[in-house]
Amino acid sequence: MRPAMQNIAKSSFNNCLRLSKPSVQRSVIAFSQQSRSTSSKPNYEGHVPLSWFQTGLLTVGSAFMAITNPRRGDMVAALGETTAGPSLSWLRDQMLGSAEGRKILKERPRVNSSTVSMDQLAQLPDGTLGKAYVTWLERCGVTPDTREPVHYIEDPELAYVMQRYRECHDFYHCICNMPVNVESELALKWFEFANLGLPMTGLAALFGPLRLTPQKRARLFSEYVPWALKCGGSAKSLITVYWEERWTQNVEDIKKELGIWDAPPARWSRPLSEAKEAAERRARQASEGASNLKTPNA
Amino acid sequence: MLSSSTKQALRLGSRFSRPATHIARASCARASTSAPSNPPSPEQPRTTSFGFRTVPEDAKESLVKEVFDSVASNYDLMNDATSFGVHRLWKDSFVSGLKPGRKGPMKCIDVAGGTGDIALRILDHAREKYYDRETTVDIADINAEMLKEGYRRFKKTMYHNTPQVAFHEANAQEMSKFPDNSYDLYTIAFGIRNCTSIPAVLKEAHRILKPGGTFACLEFSRVTNPVLNSLYDQYSFSVIPVMGTVLAGDSASYQYLVESIRKFPPQPEFAQMIRDAGFATGKHEEGGAWTDLWGGIACIHKGVKL
């Protein structure tokens, strides 16, 4: 049971408390490799086939865990997958309806630090999407490597659509110019619900505010939610946007094209330590790799 | 260079003895296991079962270690959740059937006793039923994380920092630091199926028990009733891994635990293994050498060293 996967659990719900859980990545690989209660084979890497009964149990359990302990990013992800239902097909059809979306489905790009070169993006001129994205990542102290992979969706293409949604979440942050605190995450969930219609975003939008203080909740509903519903509802479906081909485009132009305008000003706090930790981990692995190379042969 | 588990053990104070695991692994007995293993050849290593997987014998110990490192912090919660609290009834039955302290203070050893459930029950039973405060329990476990949990739990009890309880990191198959003929009672609850070689564990148990001492094992076993068995299987394979995912974020460990139950020898076979190690048991039937609990979901095996 060796951890082989790059991506680890991330809370897309409460990003103030991003934590990684190594046991999750190891456990899921092992689970999909070992015998399962259903005799079906996995349809893609990381797929964990469940019977309808297990899916129901997981839905209830993950809903309970997600609301009581939002740090459990894997549970938020699991709830998203078990409640997705027909919404993923609907999103896939939207992607098929646009040339850009079709290209995404064909090429299936992934967003993590090995597919997206942060150094190159940092060198782009100010005002471009690439530069804005890297700046936003640094300002919030987060990294694209902490997304939980999809496990509980049957169809591989729909699993990809779900994965794409998860990985593009940070782009939505960037394009709407929102930080990663709880209020902004919830505002973005309302936005995503209006724009994409995933049931999980709706659940988060409804139940998430229960965890806010009354003042923050009041601000959320008076300022952010109207913006989210108006902007998200009228904007182009963001799942069809091929962000990786638009690095050099001007951010304002993209926003005009998609029909997005900035959210009400948000509270930006200190950067999280997630990105720093990930960088340190990478540096440690790199130095271990280098020292292994230097070891003389016996 | 000390491993982190060793450092942890030393940090936790004098109650923890010097860990024997690194020595234990090297001298781990290579007796045959209950699972079907490949015939040994010069090139091919001996294999054993790890749940439904077949793994090299050397690997099982570290795989099991990973499982228990992972489950340690949630162990008690998961026990309660997956058995709906019934494991407490089983453990109560197990200990009260042993009547520790009835014939005076006893030196007990609870092997694979990590979180201290059995040890605590032994000490409480001796104290409450027989007014005995001299009975001692040595808790031995191969996994430092589990011992840490046990030590933490014992802090809530009156036995913390008393001579009545001691924690030892030790491999059940290789307990050379425990002298021959030194214990009145040897218990192992829900631990023996995780050991690589059951005969080696039984041999060590026989060695460290005094003549007249009791060997008692509580373990998951085979359910005889086919209807109950089918329901039990369904529950084990459908529900428990999902519970593991939800409660502990770890389905694979619970998948292993559920599979390892199926690989454990059935009651008559295990009773014979106990006899082969030199113990005297009751009659070779249910109610004699073994007692089924809840239809065989759990089972108590006992033997006496002559």
Side-chain angles (χ1 to χ4, degrees):
Chain A
M1 286 196 253
R2 252 170 238 299
M5 282 150 75
Q6 314 288 327
N7 297 320
I8 43 184
K10 176 180 183 180
S11 166
S12 59
F13 181 82
N14 189 345
N15 283 292
C16 301
L17 303 166
R18 290 178 186 206
L19 284 175
S20 66
K21 211 170 184 322
S23 66
V24 175
Q25 53 169 319
R26 181 202 68 210
S27 79
V28 169
I29 314 161
F31 191 18
S32 56
Q33 287 168 353
Q34 287 177 357
S35 70
R36 294 160 297 279
S37 59
T38 53
S39 54
S40 55
K41 294 236 155 277
N43 295 333
Y44 50 88
E45 193 189 324
H47 181 212
V48 176
L50 294 179
S51 65
W52 61 267
F53 176 70
Q54 289 177 301
T55 309
L57 198 60
L58 184 61
T59 308
V60 172
S62 59
F64 175 73
M65 272 319 247
I67 192 73
T68 50
N69 185 6
R71 284 170 179 243
R72 290 286 307 277
D74 58 319
M75 283 293 101
V76 177
L79 184 61
E81 290 166 32
T82 52
T83 55
S87 62
L88 287 177
S89 311
W90 188 71
L91 284 178
R92 192 253 312 265
D93 293 342
Q94 289 203 316
M95 290 169 87
L96 287 173
S98 94
E100 212 180 345
R102 284 193 292 272
K103 200 152 181 251
I104 302 173
L105 281 176
K106 188 162 150 210
E107 291 169 17
R108 296 206 183 171
R110 297 292 297 269
V111 180
N112 52 51
S113 49
S114 36
T115 56
V116 174
S117 165
M118 302 296 160
D119 303 321
Q120 273 187 334
L121 293 184
Q123 282 160 16
L124 290 172
D126 281 339
T128 52
L129 176 67
K131 182 76 179 167
Y133 179 57
V134 175
T135 316
W136 179 85
L137 284 176
E138 268 173 50
R139 198 173 171 194
C140 296
V142 298
T143 152
D145 292 333
T146 54
R147 293 293 172 188
E148 176 78 12
V150 172
H151 301 301
Y152 308 113
I153 306 279
E154 291 283 321
D155 181 64
E157 188 170 48
L158 297 182
Y160 173 73
V161 173
M162 186 56 146
Q163 190 74 54
R164 179 78 185 159
Y165 154 70
R166 247 178 236 164
E167 290 175 357
C168 290
H169 179 75
D170 283 347
F171 292 125
Y172 309 158
H173 268 281
C174 178
I175 201 92
C176 300
N177 199 25
M178 306 204 72
V180 289
N181 49 41
V182 191
E183 318 87 88
S184 308
E185 288 292 348
L186 287 175
L188 217 47
K189 282 284 166 265
W190 280 93
F191 176 87
E192 284 175 353
F193 186 57
N195 190 264
L196 303 170
L198 281 165
M200 178 60 204
T201 56
L203 286 171
L206 276 179
F207 293 102
L210 296 171
R211 296 190 69 94
L212 288 177
T213 60
Q215 298 92 330
K216 286 196 180 151
R217 196 161 43 230
R219 182 152 188 249
L220 177 73
F221 282 106
S222 62
E223 291 183 26
Y224 287 105
V225 171
W227 162 80
L229 292 175
K230 262 187 254 171
C231 186
S234 62
K236 189 171 149 193
S237 178
L238 292 185
I239 195 80
T240 62
V241 177
Y242 202 156
W243 304 95
E244 294 92 325
E245 294 201 328
R246 293 168 176 257
W247 293 132
T248 49
Q249 258 191 297
N250 185 289
V251 176
E252 297 303 319
D253 291 341
I254 298 179
K255 278 156 80 164
K256 225 178 299 204
E257 185 194 328
L258 299 174
I260 295 176
W261 59 95
D262 266 351
R267 174 181 63 86
W268 291 80
S269 43
R270 278 180 320 125
L272 300 177
S273 56
E274 198 185 86
K276 203 162 108 198
E277 283 166 9
E280 280 166 10
R281 219 174 314 156
R282 267 199 302 277
R284 247 205 325 272
Q285 285 167 356
S287 66
E288 275 169 21
S291 65
N292 283 342
L293 287 172
K294 284 203 207 107
T295 313
N297 290 334
Chain B
M1 186 63 194
L2 290 176
S3 70
S4 61
S5 62
T6 315
K7 278 189 201 143
Q8 245 169 13
L10 293 173
R11 258 206 305 277
L12 284 160
S14 56
R15 287 264 173 232
F16 283 76
S17 56
R18 191 161 268 288
T21 43
H22 59 288
I23 310 162
R25 284 202 186 110
S27 62
C28 193
R30 287 173 178 271
S32 62
T33 66
S34 57
S37 46
N38 295 338
S41 64
E43 301 86 32
Q44 235 178 358
R46 296 183 67 94
T47 59
T48 179
S49 69
F50 179 71
F52 289 161
R53 286 165 57 194
T54 307
V55 300
E57 245 180 37
D58 300 341
K60 178 160 181 176
E61 218 177 88
S62 49
L63 288 172
V64 172
K65 177 183 187 309
E66 268 184 46
V67 167
F68 283 94
D69 277 347
S70 166
V71 305
S73 53
N74 289 319
Y75 190 68
D76 297 316
L77 166 71
M78 284 301 296
N79 281 344
D80 276 333
T82 51
S83 71
F84 298 100
V86 178
H87 73 107
R88 296 167 185 241
L89 299 177
W90 292 331
K91 287 167 181 166
D92 288 342
S93 274
F94 179 57
V95 172
S96 49
L98 293 170
K99 300 194 175 60
R102 182 165 65 118
K103 296 188 182 148
M106 291 174 97
K107 256 195 92 178
C108 311
I109 182 163
D110 181 34
V111 178
T115 55
D117 271 352
I118 299 295
L120 187 55
R121 282 173 169 84
I122 290 174
L123 292 171
D124 280 344
H125 187 99
R127 176 175 56 84
E128 287 182 8
K129 291 272 178 350
Y130 305 109
Y131 304 88
D132 171 9
R133 294 305 300 273
E134 278 72 46
T135 290
T136 62
V137 182
D138 287 331
I139 301 179
D141 199 299
I142 197 174
N143 190 293
E145 291 296 316
M146 294 289 282
L147 278 175
K148 211 170 87 172
E149 273 305 307
Y151 185 77
R152 224 178 107 245
R153 284 183 56 205
F154 259 82
K155 279 193 179 173
K156 274 173 130 181
T157 70
M158 67 181 75
Y159 308 110
H160 173 67
N161 265 348
T162 70
Q164 285 192 274
V165 69
F167 294 83
H168 304 272
E169 197 175 325
N171 182 334
Q173 295 174 194
E174 211 286 307
M175 302 195 25
S176 49
K177 70 176 178 186
F178 297 101
D180 296 5
N181 302 319
S182 46
Y183 288 99
D184 299 298
L185 176 63
Y186 177 112
T187 52
I188 183 166
F190 301 123
I192 201 165
R193 73 180 192 282
N194 298 309
C195 297
T196 309
S197 158
I198 296 171
V201 174
L202 294 172
K203 188 157 151 278
E204 279 295 272
H206 191 263
R207 180 183 65 81
I208 68 174
L209 274 171
K210 289 181 195 162
T214 304
F215 167 85
C217 170
L218 173 64
E219 190 50 87
F220 289 111
S221 203
R222 301 292 165 94
V223 175
T224 36
N225 182 307
V227 174
L228 180 62
N229 192 28
S230 162
L231 288 171
Y232 177 51
D233 273 352
Q234 277 285 81
Y235 174 71
S236 292
F237 286 99
S238 292
V239 177
I240 290 181
V242 175
M243 273 184 169
T245 309
V246 171
L247 294 171
D250 183 359
S251 60
S253 295
Y254 294 93
Q255 183 78 26
Y256 156 72
L257 292 174
V258 155
E259 289 176 0
S260 63
I261 294 173
R262 270 84 199 152
K263 291 303 254 184
F264 189 70
Q267 288 90 319
E269 213 179 294
F270 185 49
Q272 187 56 45
M273 288 167 92
I274 293 174
R275 271 195 292 276
D276 290 342
F279 291 102
T281 68
K283 271 170 53 175
H284 193 68
E285 62 185 23
E286 206 283 324
W290 69 89
T291 318
D292 281 339
L293 300 172
W294 284 54
I297 296 178
C299 183
I300 302 175
H301 287 260
K302 285 191 208 166
V304 176
K305 173 173 176 175
L306 295 169

